[in-house]
Amino acid sequence: VQLQASGGGLVQAGDSLRLSCVASGRTNSNYVMGWFRQAPGKEREFVAAITFSGRDTRYAPSVKGRFTISKDDAENTFYLQMNSLKPEDTAVYHCAAETRSGFSYYYVPDYYDSWGQGTLVTVSS
């Protein structure tokens, strides 16, 4: 599957943004979709994940309650709605898809087979 992320930008603390990730190719496979982020000088970290059915979601503790992951099967797109943004949310955000772990290792970047290009989110204080 090929992924194309978009929606990043420069916002102020407290603002909202919605990231999108359009999937193409073998989109009928049983993918887990995830969002990861990488701030300058830091490791890539898990943000959120959603199962192919859309029934199960997981969030990093740092974003739980502020971010929401969702998917639109008709559009082959999944989203990351980010509310109450903080300066520490500043990072390049990547969408990814994996088929290997069955949602067991949704938080591990190495399990993801496909990655979209990053989209930069900058939150000013």
Side-chain angles (χ1 to χ4, degrees):
V1 65
Q2 292 77 47
L3 303 172
Q4 180 80 26
S6 62
L10 172 63
V11 297
Q12 293 187 328
D15 285 351
S16 298
L17 270 179
R18 188 177 77 160
L19 305 183
S20 300
C21 184
V22 179
S24 60
R26 296 180 62 183
T27 57
N28 59 342
S29 296
N30 194 19
Y31 288 103
V32 169
M33 303 295 193
W35 286 98
F36 291 77
R37 66 187 183 187
Q38 188 164 18
K42 294 189 175 182
E43 299 276 326
R44 186 169 294 189
E45 65 172 355
F46 168 74
V47 176
I50 188 167
T51 55
F52 185 75
S53 68
R55 286 194 285 266
D56 291 311
T57 57
R58 296 289 189 273
Y59 297 93
S62 59
V63 308
K64 196 170 186 179
R66 299 188 297 123
F67 291 10
T68 302
I69 189 171
S70 62
K71 60 197 301 279
D72 183 335
D73 292 332
E75 298 292 329
N76 286 331
T77 302
F78 64 110
Y79 303 96
L80 185 68
Q81 177 67 42
M82 305 185 295
N83 298 330
S84 303
L85 282 161
K86 304 175 181 180
E88 51 263 43
D89 295 318
T90 294
V92 176
Y93 284 70
H94 299 268
C95 57
E98 69 100 342
T99 60
R100 290 184 285 169
S101 82
F103 217 47
S104 296
Y105 297 100
Y106 58 86
Y107 52 93
V108 180
D110 288 347
Y111 274 84
Y112 285 76
D113 309 294
S114 302
W115 290 84
Q117 90 294 353
T119 184
L120 177 62
V121 173
T122 304
V123 185
S124 63
S125 57

